[in-house]
Amino acid sequence: GESRFPDVDSNGSEKNEDIEIIVNVGGMRQVLYGENLNQYPATRLAQLINCLSGGYDSIFSLCDDYDPGKREFYFDRDPDAFKCIIDIYYFGEIHMKKGICPICFKNEMEFWKVDLKFLDDCCKTHLSEKKEELEEIARRVQLILDDLGVDASENRWKRCQKYIWKLMEKPESSYSARVIAVLSFLFILISSVVMCMGTIPELQIVDSEGNHVEHPTLDNIETACIGWFTLEYVLRLISSPNKLHFVISFMNIIDVFAILPFYVSLILTHLGAGMMELTNVQQAVQALRIMRIARIFKLARHSTGLQTLTYALKRSFKELGLLLMYLAVGIFVFSALGYTMEQSHPETLFKSIPQSFWWAIITMTTVGYGDIYPKTTLGKLNAATSFLCGVIAIALPIHPIINNFVRYYNKQRVLETAAKHELELMELYSGEGKVGGSKNELEDLMGEDKERPSWSRQLKVSHSDTFIHLLSDEKHYRTRLQSCK
Amino acid sequence: MPAGMNKHGSRSSTSLPPDPMEIVRSKACSRRVKLNVGGLAHEVLWRTLDRLPRTRLGKLRDGNTHESLMEICDDYNLEENEYFFDRHPGAFTSILNFYRTGKLHMMEEMCALSFSQELDYWGIDEIYLESCCQARYHQKKEQMNEELKREAETLREREGEEFDNTCCADKRKKLWDLLEKPNSSVAAKILAIISIMFIVLSTIALSLNTLPELQGTDEFGQTTDNPQLAHVEAVCIAWFTMEYLLRFLSSPKKWKFFKGPLNAIDLLAILPYYVTIFLTESNKSVLQFQNVRRVVQIFRIMRILRILKLARHSTGLQSLGFTLRRSYNELGLLILFLAMGIMIFSSLVFFAEKDEDDTKFKSIPASFWWATITMTTVGYGDIYPKTLLGKIVGGLCCIAGVLVIALPIPIIVNNFSEFYKEQKRQEKAIKRREALERAKRNGSIVSMNMKDAFARSVELMDIVVEKNGESTGKKDKVQDNHLSPSKWKWTKRTLSETSSSKSFETREQGSPEKVRSSSSPQHLNVQQLEDMYNKMAKTQSQPNLNTKNTGHPGKQKEELEMETIPGPTVPLLTTRADGIIDMRSMSSIDSFISCATDFPDAGKFSHSPLATLPCKGGVNPIQEQIRAEGSGTRFMEINPKPEGSHRSTFFIDSPNSSIKASNPLKLRSLKVNFMGDDNSTLVPASNVLRIYPDALKNRGAAAAADSTLLSDRSLVSPETSIYTTASARTPPTSPEKQIAIALNFHDASIHKYIDADTDDEGQLLYDSSPPGNVSPKTEKNHLESAALPTSPKFIGQNCIYSMEGITGKTQGNQETVRLENHISPEVHILPGGGGHANTHDQSI
């Protein structure tokens, strides 16, 4: 003992300061000094130094191998990551080596018991990005697992409810669900077309009071569509596990807006006739007709592209604000300028500044209807500059928005495959992997060898690095997964 | 320095494969194992490897016989408990981490394709890849696979056209080439240009035909075509028809031809004309004239399709079409966005404007037009809102339009640019391939076959091939062969093959003109060369990996020699001569240990007009140097030793020197000779010329990882390891300091070249050692003076310098001066290139 550890019988930590250890991390040797290591006593290496006197057991609890001859501690870890991590003892901060997967690096840091806060900010963003991505994947996996779950314990009504829910909300889950989704999509399209057709004067008929009303066939189609929408909504509502959450969710509010106007106008025409004057009722009905437009938004339920668009717009709220601000400033400036410059012309089209707002918008967005246009030279110059400024004002903030959109669009596709992969991994780790190729290796370990319990145990408790622990009850999901496959 | 020096030879140096018991014992005596992957040493617990017993590393534990081990790894050293794998070291880190942590991550800059190959090699399923890396991996892999598939398809299309099963195949092939491949010949190009002109002409005629001034009127008062233009039209159509028919007749696969989109366009361009003629001629009396006219009008419109025929002649148009096809998802998105926007804004504006007097927003469909024109920011001004509400809606519509159109377009643009880049790349690849084929036809392919036959001389042949070939494609081919696994079985080189070939290439790039210019047009005396080889085959007992029985005696002799040398303090000149000869024998067997120091000299000598192969082999310069002194007779003087081993060395040297002395060897002719000779001459040739590959190999190995330098070298081949052994055993007699210097120098020189690229810290470290950054010349002198008198071993290690010393003395001042003159910046550049390749490999 004494010859191996010079400080074996001394009990002071000062001795630890002088100690010099050789660590071998996966083949890379490094001499480390106690005084450096003790700066961060919580780390694995510092712990190692402090328990040198504690005998082999404590040493082997911290490192994988120890060579008394060379006084070398062996760790079976990634040498590359270690190279970065020991920076903490010299510089007090850690930078990730470029190329190492941040999640992998995080795990290495955890092994060396180095707190994540020592990771420098420049590398942290990278890590947090990856983490977010993984969280997103985990969320998706959870959704999929939720769908997969069939609990025999639930009563018949619950199971029925679940079945309807899947039918209505998950087009991928079954063939009939897909048919329903397509039907729903068609109904939306038809009702939108009908709504537009209804306004064509040629297709309208004149009723007894001389008013133009919609063609009865169109009316019937409209009613049928509304009937479908209502049925859909009601079924969804009934089958939804969380009613409140269902009612306040954005897509369902749109659904309500799509069907409500019809019923309101129905009620108004039938009951309101007695209470209100007929013209008022008609006006109210007319106003409600505008709300029918809401049904177009129902398409968003069926198009991931639209969802991406809304997400991108939501994410780039700032940039949108910027765009509007630029435009607003431009509109104010140029309409005022245009107004003043056009004052000299006797037949000016710029009658007031608010009126020339319109002109400014149309010019800046390069639409240019030609209903208002400048006539004086100065006014034309102003128009030219406003056009140029408009192009720039729109082009500049639009770029980040586009970026957001493209990134999210690409990410969406990536996440989809990732979630599937995650499920495969889970399946694999839960020991239910398909036999074939090298996939069955894990099973091998499970059954075969008594020497390797640590690894199989490790695998059993281990899951992929994705945030499955975000999923509330992992075991539960696993059993579900197995029961379904 | 992770892997210490090997005191004992690697597995390959021992004549017999080790006993299974030995292997088991070696495995049992340590809990850990050293894995050397492409020069990067890893150390791992056996326990860790056992976690995945079916993978390659998992099987390593179970393999207890020499054969089973050699199946798993490329080389091993039981004493050091080290196993060598000739694989990419960068990917291996991730893979080993999988064993350690159970989680497979992937280095971010790693190419997905090569990573998947590595995974295959190590026997790990890619499914274990963690989700965070998986996305990137799959994306790249899919992309690569797609690209490869497309490339293969185009190649198949280009090459897989078979004309053999039908009549007059070659004529049809010629016709097909003429019509379909404008790049194949001048005539085809002219034909393509004529075709384009006809297309342009016919479209112009079509447009002119609608000018009222040029139209005539028929008996019914209807406008008809201008007769001249009708003639033009007829001629054009005739040309198109002929073209189409010829294409169809000559096409190897009729149905595929018919289905092709470009051919469908062609058909559509000519059909309307014939249909029109048919209708007007046949149905005049039968059907109502008005109806016929309407149909004819429709077909006239279809004539405009002929403008699409231009797509055949423009890759840009084709890639546009392909992009649109590939990004139909995004296009759909764009249209969906627009449709929704139009729907919403037109209904909004309709409700805002409908109460206005004489409004143009009469219905929602009527305001669709307005919404479209506004959202696309065209703005004709035929309809515009007049109420305040309408104007607000209009303003929002403009902004929404800008946004909505702008969003999906970058994705489409991305697709387009990717495809366009890909197309460009493909064109280049095809050119490369064609060059390769040309090279094959020119005969370099013969040397490739030779390489298979004599794996030991592979590198030399590469050199010859590379030097000989002007085309780039050949290099590719060579590299391909480098990577073929069958070769490992033969050569078992420590050095990562890619790095060596890389260094070849870089060196090659640096020097070929010089080499070519220096080589005189004289031709090699074939007979003499052959004689030399035969003689050598008889006398020379050179250790050879492949022929082990012949190898033993020579090896032993050399070992003896090495042991005797350090003992006595021989007079200076003799010692030097001894050292030289020994080293030459060593070098001829396996090149110099001080491989890195070869760099400057190789570069230097490449400038001397006599040097023919200089930039390749570090050994060569010396021989040339000797040659420069005079001829073979001169050489005899330096070689006074009567021993057999020296005789053999002499013979090894003499062929080369005489070859070169008699006439500066032209590489091409050398190659021709090799190929022309029968096998009996080829074997010795390969033996002699192994000098070069070994030197290169050694250099590559040393530079690849200076940390594992010596152990690497000892693994290289039996011959080197003998030498290393000898040098390692030296200490008792020769002062340790000398060895330290030698090693230092070694490292320093390596570092110098590495530093040229990486600015490593090592630079500082080695600056202190004398030769660190001095010019090659001074370096040489320095070492010469320092090392020569005391330690023959040292001379051995830096034998180039001692050789130079001799030349300096024997040749007189003139030679030295010349050499000095030849030291130029290029000297540094050349080795720098080689060093770069290696450093790069290491850093990956």
Side-chain angles (χ1 to χ4, degrees), chain B residues 389-430:
Chain B
L389 212 60
K391 280 181 178 173
I392 290 170
V393 171
L396 286 177
C397 185
C398 301
I399 296 165
V402 170
L403 266 180
V404 149
I405 290 173
L407 286 182
I409 277 181
I411 301 171
I412 300 172
V413 167
N414 237 10
N415 278 347
F416 179 77
S417 68
E418 252 172 45
F419 179 74
Y420 197 74
K421 245 189 281 169
E422 178 56 27
Q423 203 133 9
K424 281 259 169 83
R425 212 178 58 77
Q426 248 180 50
E427 272 166 27
K428 266 183 205 157
I430 284 161

Side-chain angles (χ1 to χ4, degrees), chain B residues 165 194 247 374 478 562 581 640 645 701 725 741 769:
Chain B
N165 51 354
I194 291 172
R247 276 210 175 101
T374 307
V478 168
M562 294 316 282
I581 290 152
S645 63
T725 319
I741 289 170
S769 76

Side-chain angles (χ1 to χ4, degrees), chain A residues 24 26 65 74 76-78 99 199 286 296 309 366-369 402 414 421-422 441 444-445 455 465, chain B residues 31-32 43-44 48 51 54 97 100 103 105 108-109 129-131 343 364 370 374 377-379 381 407:
Chain A
N24 178 350
D65 199 3
Y74 176 75
D76 206 0
R77 300 301 289 193
D78 183 10
T199 59
Q286 279 297 329
I296 295 166
L309 176 71
T366 72
V367 170
Y369 287 128
I402 290 172
V414 166
H421 178 80
E422 188 63 36
E441 233 138 53
D444 265 13
L445 321 157
W455 172 252
D465 279 342
Chain B
R31 295 180 65 202
R32 283 177 255 161
E43 207 168 349
V44 69
T48 310
R51 287 171 182 169
R54 291 206 184 173
N97 280 341
R100 287 169 175 152
K103 280 153 198 164
H105 290 272
E108 283 188 345
E109 65 258 34
L129 204 59
E130 287 296 318
S131 294
M343 203 83 141
I364 292 178
W370 168 83
T374 307
T377 72
V378 172
L407 286 182

Side-chain angles (χ1 to χ4, degrees), chain B residues 424-471:
Chain B
K424 281 259 169 83
R425 212 178 58 77
Q426 248 180 50
E427 272 166 27
K428 266 183 205 157
I430 284 161
K431 265 184 203 152
R432 216 170 48 222
R433 210 157 272 131
E434 276 165 8
L436 179 67
E437 265 166 31
R438 256 206 311 281
K440 272 184 197 168
R441 279 198 294 275
N442 288 351
S444 350
I445 197 71
V446 183
S447 68
M448 313 285 299
N449 294 336
M450 250 175 72
K451 188 163 60 179
D452 292 338
F454 304 103
R456 286 284 293 163
S457 61
V458 156
E459 271 104 337
L460 172 85
M461 284 306 147
D462 290 351
I463 297 162
V464 174
V465 168
E466 279 177 30
K467 284 222 167 188
N468 187 35
E470 281 86 27
S471 68

Side-chain angles (χ1 to χ4, degrees), chain A residues 202-257:
Chain A
E202 287 83 22
L203 294 178
Q204 286 174 336
I205 51 165
V206 184
D207 67 355
S208 51
E209 283 136 43
N211 284 325
H212 286 270
V213 293
E214 278 181 18
H215 200 275
T217 14
L218 292 180
D219 230 15
N220 291 341
I221 297 171
E222 171 82 12
T223 316
C225 288
I226 291 292
W228 169 264
F229 293 152
T230 317
L231 179 74
E232 211 183 3
Y233 184 78
V234 169
L235 278 178
R236 280 208 174 105
L237 184 66
I238 289 170
S239 65
S240 86
N242 186 347
K243 302 277 189 292
L244 184 73
H245 189 255
F246 177 86
V247 169
I248 60 169
S249 86
F250 179 69
M251 288 313 294
N252 295 317
I253 290 174
I254 284 178
D255 281 2
V256 172
F257 273 112

Side-chain angles (χ1 to χ4, degrees), chain B residues 21-32 46 61 81 83:
Chain B
M21 276 310 291
E22 219 174 291
I23 294 171
V24 171
R25 201 167 51 236
S26 146
K27 281 178 177 175
C29 73
S30 177
R31 295 180 65 202
R32 283 177 255 161
W46 280 114
R61 179 75 181 262
N81 197 21
Y83 297 83

